[in-house]
């Protein structure tokens, strides 16, 4: 062959490669844009996602972070929830996760939509790249991407945006890890570490922990298949995974260190009971959600849910949903049961990954379906893994594996079809899968309704029985999809796929888009933009105060929730509240408001009438000047609470006994244990306005004179910003000053510029010894965990960037 012929052949090969790359890039862009087309009203800001956690947590918290940044404050401390809690340490704020940066340059109502929609895009793009790495064609990779990006777990987890974000990144983590395994390099190592860091920064620990476990198993199985168990190769792979995970978490240390520091103070941090963490597990009819996603109704009022569901039903659904499409399941089953011919070199390359994905599928099913079995107890005693609430959330691993296996199955159908002829072994397997699908639907729709005990105490038995009727779209639409899938399988068993997989793509796309768009309720943007009358009324008071909202455990529309400052809405308006919707609610705060025996956080719900009576000083100590009461809450405030505002959504009472934010006390009780401090504080003889219980070991600073001082003194808050409090204090003798601010590590005090000790006072608050005279007291929040995390993240970023640039330079030379 002449040189010219060689050149022509080379240019032709390059044109093919470039063309392939262009077509893949266009498909990738289309997948990224697709969610913004599917959710068109949300993309242009006409409708807004709001349901439950979205409006109670993610919207106000993300808005607060940006509000602080725009005002020039570092978002370290949140003074608007509970009575002050860490903001950076509250990991679900996820302020370093890039999609949350939409709040920096968009109106909040549009930013929350783009934050949500970008997760669908990330999931689809990541799955497309991962599937292409499995050596499947563009059509198969696109099918897997659509199935995963709109799967039941992601679609229902809009309500838990941080969990949704972590799940969306699973394919990216696997794709980057696969690239590093196949072609180890510093650049691939850095990209794998970055993917791990992004998932850690997404704001919820559970999915990253499951992902790390599944990824380790996936790579281990691949190495065992490829190397036939050669120890050195397997060990090298394990060390590689450990290394880029260590680097990834080092990169995310700026958020992880403060998060760990704060999380240890939550009721869930230690000795979380087994019943709490294992309560949500897939069992019985729950498994039907994998193939019939509407059997328990929906959250959005519409064809699948004639009326808005009770919040308990909504929780039950989203803690178990993992639907990836009927055809997706069928194709995944085909990939699992189909042998790979030894003569097909390309298909043989998929054998290790197929076994790895099957292992991930089994892992997800075992954890999610553990319930109260031996598996669940084994998970419970496993460090870190066992304390993650709701084992059903591990089902995302199965959904991920099913979506990827569906791509493998579709590609095998394409590869094994020759000129419209289908091998007998392939025909038999397609018929078997079609028969299994038929049997499942016959059982679900023809037999199961008669087996359900409608008088069962199981909350959803009646609803399940009703929704399995063919007269309901909850059953009839999945049946239509199943019949269509069975028809395609039987058609392929006779004629093959003939390299025209577009009917399969169309069916999966229609199936998943209908599910994703039918689940989450939205509201008009105006409902998240208008200022309620109650808020306007409160904002007229420019003094320092906190509010408390008494409401039922129920889902509220945004207009009502905002008017009542429900849960976290106070922070959206700059109004401090003792409520707070947060899984990291401090243990001590739970003790004071709800009792020592409460094993979980309250999510900010208040409803105990005892808090509003004369013999309770809890709200007074927390400087709760205004109490907002939902009309349906049956409380009768004591006469110290005077009604000052009322409309159809809320009644506001003025608490005439609320203490100042900073005040001196005339009597001290020094105790050495948390238990004694609590008992002293709740004693009927204890007057927190004039007394303080201080948790302190022997300290000579507490002189006998200080313990019983009765001098007239004054304390005036001159300045209060998120991370800084300045108090002007004047006293003729040494006195003890109490601030109704949450005691938390990371706060430092100075008196006239000289360091001072902050003591834990009255179980929750801060206290300082103020010497005689006029002084300026400064309290600054400067958590060491944030400083250490920032240093570790910076160092790791420099190392990874330097290693990547060195690797690229070395490769070029």
């Amino acid at each position: 062959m002449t040189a010219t012929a060689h050149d022509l052949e080379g240019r032709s090969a390059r044109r093919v490669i470039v063309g392939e790359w262009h077509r893949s890039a266009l498909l990738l862009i289309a997948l990224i844009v697709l969610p913004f087309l599917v959710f068109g009203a949300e993309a242009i800001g006409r409708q807004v996602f709001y349901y439950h956690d979205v409006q109670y947590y993610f919207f106000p918290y993300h808005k607060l972070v940006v509000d602080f940044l725009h005002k020039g404050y570092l978002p370290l401390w949140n003074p608007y929830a509970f009575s002050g809690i860490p903001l950076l340490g509250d990991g679900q704020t996820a302020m370093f996760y890039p999609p949350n940066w939409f709040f920096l340059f968009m109106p909040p109502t549009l930013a929350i939509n783009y934050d949500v929609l970008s997760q669908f895009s990330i999931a689809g793009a990541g799955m497309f790249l991962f599937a292409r790495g499995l050596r499947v064609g563009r059509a198969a990779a696109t099918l897997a991407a659509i199935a995963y990006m709109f799967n039941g777990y992601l679609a229902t987890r809009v309500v838990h945006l941080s969990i949704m974000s972590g799940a969306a990144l699973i394919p990216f983590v696997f794709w980057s890890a696969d690239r590093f395994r196949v072609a180890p390099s510093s650049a691939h190592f850095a990209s794998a570490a970055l993917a791990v860091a992004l998932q850690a920064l997404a704001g919820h620990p559970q999915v990253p922990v499951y992902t790390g476990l599944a990824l380790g198993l996936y790579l281990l199985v691949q190495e065992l298949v490829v190397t036939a168990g050669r120890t050195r190769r397997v060990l090298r792979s394990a060390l590689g995974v450990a290394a880029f995970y260590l680097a990834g978490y080092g990169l995310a240390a700026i958020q992880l260190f403060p998060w760990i520091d704060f999380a240890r103070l939550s009721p869930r941090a230690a000795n979380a009971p087994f019943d709490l963490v294992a309560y949500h597990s897939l069992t019985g009819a729950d498994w039907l959600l994998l193939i019939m996603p509407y059997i328990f109704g929906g959250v959005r009022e519409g064809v699948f849910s004639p009326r808005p569901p009770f919040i308990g039903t909504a929780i039950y659904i989203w803690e178990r949903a993992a639907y990836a499409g009927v055809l997706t399941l069928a194709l995944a089953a085909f990939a699992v049961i189909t042998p790979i011919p030894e003569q097909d070199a390309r298909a043989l390359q998929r054998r290790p990954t197929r076994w790895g994905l099957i292992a991930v599928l089994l892992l997800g099913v075992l954890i999610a379906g553990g319930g109260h079995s031996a598996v669940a107890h084994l998970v419970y005693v496993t460090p870190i893994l066992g304390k993650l609430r709701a084992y059903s959330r591990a089902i995302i691993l199965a959904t991920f594996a099913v979506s990827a296996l569906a791509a493998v199955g579709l590609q095998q159908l394409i590869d094994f079809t020759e000129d419209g002829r289908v091998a007998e072994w392939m025909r038999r397997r397609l018929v078997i899968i079609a028969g299994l699908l038929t049997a499942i639907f016959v059982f679900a729709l023809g037999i199961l309704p008669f087996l359900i005990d409608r008088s069962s105490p199981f909350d959803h038995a009646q609803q399940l029985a009703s929704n399995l009727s063919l007269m309901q779209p909850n059953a009839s639409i999945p049946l239509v999809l199943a019949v269509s899938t069975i028809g395609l399988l039987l058609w392929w068993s006779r004629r093959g796929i003939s390299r025209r997989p577009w009917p399969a793509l169309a069916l999966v796309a229609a199936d998943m888009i209908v599910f994703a768009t039918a689940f989450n309720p939205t509201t008009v943007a105006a409902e998240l933009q208008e200022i309620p009358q109650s808020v306007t009324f409160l904002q007229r008071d420019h003094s320092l105060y906190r509010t408390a909202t008494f409401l039922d455990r129920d889902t509220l529309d945004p207009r009502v929730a905002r008017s009542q400052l429900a849960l976290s809405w106070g922070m959206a308006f700059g109004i401090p509240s003792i409520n707070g919707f947060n899984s990291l609610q401090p243990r001590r705060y739970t003790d004071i408001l709800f009792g020592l025996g409460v094993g979980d956080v309250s999510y900010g719900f208040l409803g105990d009438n005892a808090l509003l009576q004369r013999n309770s000083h809890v709200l007074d100590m927390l400087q709760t000047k205004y109490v907002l009461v939902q009309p349906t809450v049956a409380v009768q405030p004591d006469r110290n609470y005077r009604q000052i505002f009322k409309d159809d959504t809320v009644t506001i009472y003025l608490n005439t006994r609320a203490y100042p934010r900073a005040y001196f006390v005339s009597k001290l009780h020094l105790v050495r244990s948390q238990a004694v401090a609590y008992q002293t504080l709740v004693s009927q003889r204890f007057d927190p306005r004039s007394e303080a219980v201080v948790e302190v070991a022997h300290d000579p600073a507490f002189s006998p004179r200080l313990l019983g001082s009765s001098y007239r003194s004054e304390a005036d808050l001159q300045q209060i910003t998120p991370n800084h409090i300045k108090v002007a204090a004047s006293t003729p003798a040494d006195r003890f000053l109490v601030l109704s601010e949450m005691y938390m590590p990371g706060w430092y005090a100075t008196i006239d510029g000289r360091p001072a000790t902050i003591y834990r006072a009255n179980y929750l608050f801060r206290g300082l010894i103020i010497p005689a005279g006029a002084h300026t007291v400064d309290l600054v929040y400067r958590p060491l965990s944030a400083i250490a995390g920032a240093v570790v993240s910076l160092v790791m970023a420099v190392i990874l960037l330097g290693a990547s640039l060195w690797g690229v330079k070395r490769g070029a030379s």
Side-chain angles (χ1 to χ4, degrees):
M1 185 179 291
T2 64
T4 302
H6 275 296
D7 291 342
L8 289 173
E9 185 176 302
R11 283 196 294 269
S12 177
R14 283 194 295 272
R15 279 196 297 269
V16 170
I17 293 171
V18 170
E20 285 287 316
W21 186 89
H22 281 167
R23 284 188 284 272
S24 293
L26 288 174
L27 269 175
L28 193 60
I29 293 170
L31 288 168
I32 293 171
V33 173
L34 181 59
F36 294 86
L37 300 178
V38 169
F39 294 93
E42 290 77 15
I44 63 175
R46 185 173 297 170
Q47 294 288 315
V48 183
F49 294 106
Y50 77 90
Y51 193 70
H52 215 265
D53 291 38
V54 176
Q55 65 161 327
Y56 293 153
Y57 183 92
F58 295 104
F59 181 90
Y61 272 86
H62 292 335
K63 181 179 182 299
L64 180 65
V65 169
V66 172
D67 286 346
F68 281 176
L69 291 174
H70 286 166
K71 293 176 182 178
Y73 302 129
L74 288 175
L76 301 176
W77 183 259
N78 176 8
Y80 297 112
F82 300 110
S83 55
I85 56 169
L87 185 58
L88 176 60
D90 182 4
Q92 290 198 73
T93 56
M95 59 184 72
F96 296 103
Y97 183 54
N100 295 333
W101 300 346
F102 284 119
F103 282 83
L104 286 169
F105 53 86
M106 283 185 177
T109 51
L110 188 60
I112 193 69
N113 286 345
Y114 273 65
D115 199 347
V116 169
L117 297 180
S118 65
Q119 308 312 321
F120 290 119
S121 299
I122 290 168
M127 180 54 80
F128 181 84
L129 292 171
F130 176 67
R132 288 291 278 160
L134 301 181
R135 296 176 176 84
V136 303
R138 289 187 300 275
T142 302
L143 182 140
I146 293 173
Y148 188 75
M149 72 194 302
F150 295 124
N151 78 76
Y153 195 98
L154 264 70
T156 62
R157 287 291 174 179
V158 168
V159 70
H160 292 152
L161 185 53
S162 55
I163 297 180
M164 181 191 187
S165 303
L169 283 162
I170 291 176
F172 266 114
V173 174
F174 271 70
W175 172 64
S176 59
D178 249 353
R179 287 203 309 164
F180 176 67
R181 180 186 65 84
V182 173
S185 69
S186 56
H188 286 170
F189 179 90
S191 70
L194 179 61
V196 168
L198 286 173
Q199 196 183 42
L201 293 170
H204 199 281
Q206 196 157 6
V207 173
V209 169
Y210 289 152
T211 304
L213 183 63
L215 180 62
L217 179 63
Y218 169 78
L219 295 176
L220 173 63
V221 170
Q222 286 195 85
E223 293 296 351
L224 290 174
V225 173
V226 170
T227 66
R230 286 203 293 269
T231 305
R232 182 177 296 179
R233 177 81 177 265
V234 172
L235 181 61
R236 187 176 65 183
S237 178
L239 290 175
V241 174
F244 70 67
Y245 255 87
L246 185 64
Y249 283 126
L251 201 58
I254 190 171
Q255 181 171 294
L256 294 182
F257 282 15
W259 192 0
I260 294 168
D261 195 33
F262 181 34
R264 61 188 175 85
L265 303 176
S266 168
R268 296 178 180 175
N271 301 320
F274 175 80
D275 288 342
L276 173 66
V277 298
Y279 174 73
H280 290 292
S281 299
L282 273 73
T283 182
D286 296 344
W287 293 105
L288 282 177
L289 285 169
L290 299 178
I291 202 163
M292 298 179 66
Y294 311 108
I295 57 172
F296 294 116
V299 176
R300 184 172 192 155
E301 190 173 358
V303 64
F304 302 111
S305 184
R307 63 188 63 85
F310 174 61
I311 183 61
T313 302
I315 293 172
Y316 193 87
I317 296 170
W318 72 52
E319 291 291 4
R320 291 158 177 79
Y323 183 65
V326 180
L327 180 57
T328 308
L329 275 173
L331 289 170
F334 182 77
V336 170
I337 67 174
T338 302
I340 296 178
E342 295 293 334
Q343 67 273 18
D344 192 326
R346 184 180 176 86
L348 276 174
Q349 291 177 314
R350 293 195 292 267
R351 177 180 286 174
T353 56
R354 186 186 71 156
W355 282 110
L357 289 169
I358 291 172
V360 172
L361 170 62
L362 293 174
L363 177 68
V365 167
L366 281 174
I367 297 177
H372 291 266
S373 68
V375 173
H377 286 278
L378 178 63
V379 172
Y380 182 68
V381 298
T382 303
I384 302 176
L385 182 67
K387 300 304 181 286
L388 299 173
R389 190 172 64 94
Y391 291 164
S392 57
R393 294 174 183 174
I395 198 63
I396 185 57
L397 301 178
T399 304
F400 163 74
V402 163
S403 301
L405 284 168
V408 174
L410 181 59
Q411 191 60 47
Q412 289 179 182
L413 274 171
I414 294 171
D415 291 345
F416 299 156
T417 301
E418 297 181 3
D419 300 324
R421 295 193 301 271
V422 180
E424 185 60 32
W425 63 265
M426 178 172 161
R427 177 180 291 116
R428 285 197 303 268
R429 282 165 174 76
L430 289 170
V431 171
I432 288 171
I433 295 170
L436 286 173
L437 271 179
T438 303
I440 291 171
F441 273 84
V442 167
F443 171 78
L445 301 178
I447 300 174
L448 184 59
F450 297 101
L451 301 178
I452 297 173
D453 182 3
R454 295 172 184 260
S455 62
S456 168
F458 177 57
D459 293 339
H460 313 293
Q462 190 86 13
Q463 187 175 26
L464 174 62
S466 173
N467 288 339
L468 287 176
S469 168
L470 286 175
M471 302 301 294
Q472 296 291 335
N474 307 66
S476 59
I477 289 181
L479 180 61
V480 169
L481 292 167
V483 170
S484 302
T485 298
I486 292 167
L488 267 179
L489 294 175
L490 294 178
W491 174 267
W492 291 337
S493 72
R494 300 289 296 176
R495 301 293 183 90
I497 201 165
S498 302
R499 299 191 179 274
R500 294 188 183 90
W502 307 116
L505 281 172
L507 181 58
V508 170
D511 185 1
M512 300 312 300
I513 288 172
V514 167
F515 176 80
T517 54
F519 190 84
N520 292 288
T522 57
T523 187
V524 294
E527 286 204 348
L528 291 174
Q529 295 168 341
E530 296 174 355
I531 305 297
Q533 292 182 359
S534 59
V535 171
T536 302
F537 176 83
L538 291 171
Q539 287 177 336
R540 293 176 189 152
D541 186 346
H542 299 292
S543 67
L544 200 61
Y545 64 86
R546 292 192 181 100
T547 65
T549 300
F550 282 66
L551 59 138
D552 294 326
R553 289 180 176 271
D554 202 359
T555 301
L556 306 172
D557 69 69
R559 183 185 71 86
V560 174
R562 288 157 62 84
S563 178
Q564 297 172 357
L565 297 184
L567 308 182
S568 298
W569 268 116
M571 68 180 66
F573 299 109
I575 298 176
S577 172
I578 72 166
N579 300 84
F581 190 82
N582 200 307
S583 59
L584 296 183
Q585 174 181 309
R587 170 73 260 180
R588 286 180 178 245
Y589 195 84
T590 304
D591 294 343
I592 291 297
L593 268 82
F594 305 98
L596 293 174
V598 176
D600 196 13
V601 299
S602 67
Y603 289 113
F605 288 97
L606 292 175
D608 187 357
N609 190 55
L611 292 170
L612 298 171
Q613 303 311 305
R614 176 179 291 275
N615 60 354
S616 174
H617 296 280
V618 172
L619 300 187
D620 307 335
M621 288 192 300
L622 290 166
Q623 207 208 9
T624 308
K625 184 176 181 180
Y626 298 105
V627 173
L628 291 80
V629 179
Q630 192 180 66
T632 56
V633 177
V635 294
Q636 293 293 328
D638 183 79
R639 63 175 179 267
N640 292 308
Y641 293 90
R642 180 163 52 88
Q643 181 178 317
I644 56 174
F645 177 90
K646 185 174 183 178
D647 64 14
D648 63 328
T649 62
V650 68
T651 301
I652 301 180
Y653 295 90
L654 172 68
N655 179 13
T656 59
R657 296 193 317 182
Y659 300 170
R661 186 67 62 92
Y663 57 94
F664 285 101
V665 294
S666 57
K667 185 177 181 181
L668 295 179
H669 302 266
L670 305 185
V671 300
R672 295 192 177 189
S673 73
Q674 177 179 334
V676 175
Y678 179 83
Q679 294 302 326
T680 305
L681 186 68
V682 299
S683 169
Q684 292 295 320
R685 297 187 300 273
F686 184 80
D687 179 10
R689 182 62 182 87
S690 60
E691 303 176 64
V693 54
V694 184
E695 295 175 53
V696 61
H698 176 70
D699 191 328
F702 289 90
S703 65
R705 182 181 180 186
L706 179 68
L707 293 176
S709 59
S710 58
Y711 301 99
R712 293 181 60 84
S713 307
E714 294 181 355
D716 177 40
L717 264 77
Q718 292 186 325
Q719 182 183 357
I720 183 165
T721 59
N723 309 311
H724 178 220
I725 298 173
K726 178 179 286 188
V727 182
S730 177
T731 176
D734 294 356
R735 295 289 303 277
F736 191 77
L737 180 70
V738 175
L739 291 97
S740 63
E741 301 282 343
M742 183 77 73
Y743 180 94
M744 194 68 63
W747 278 95
Y748 299 91
T750 60
I751 299 176
D752 299 331
R754 293 186 294 274
T757 301
I758 300 176
Y759 298 95
R760 191 190 293 274
N762 290 352
Y763 201 74
L764 284 179
F765 304 130
R766 305 174 209 160
L768 297 97
I769 297 174
I770 307 298
H775 303 282
T776 298
V777 182
D778 287 284
L779 293 95
V780 178
Y781 187 56
R782 193 172 57 246
L784 290 177
S785 57
I787 297 171
V791 171
V792 171
S793 291
L794 180 61
V795 170
M796 186 57 66
V798 170
I799 291 173
L800 290 175
L801 181 61
S804 298
L805 293 176
W806 177 79
V808 170
K809 182 178 180 181
R810 183 183 179 189
S813 63

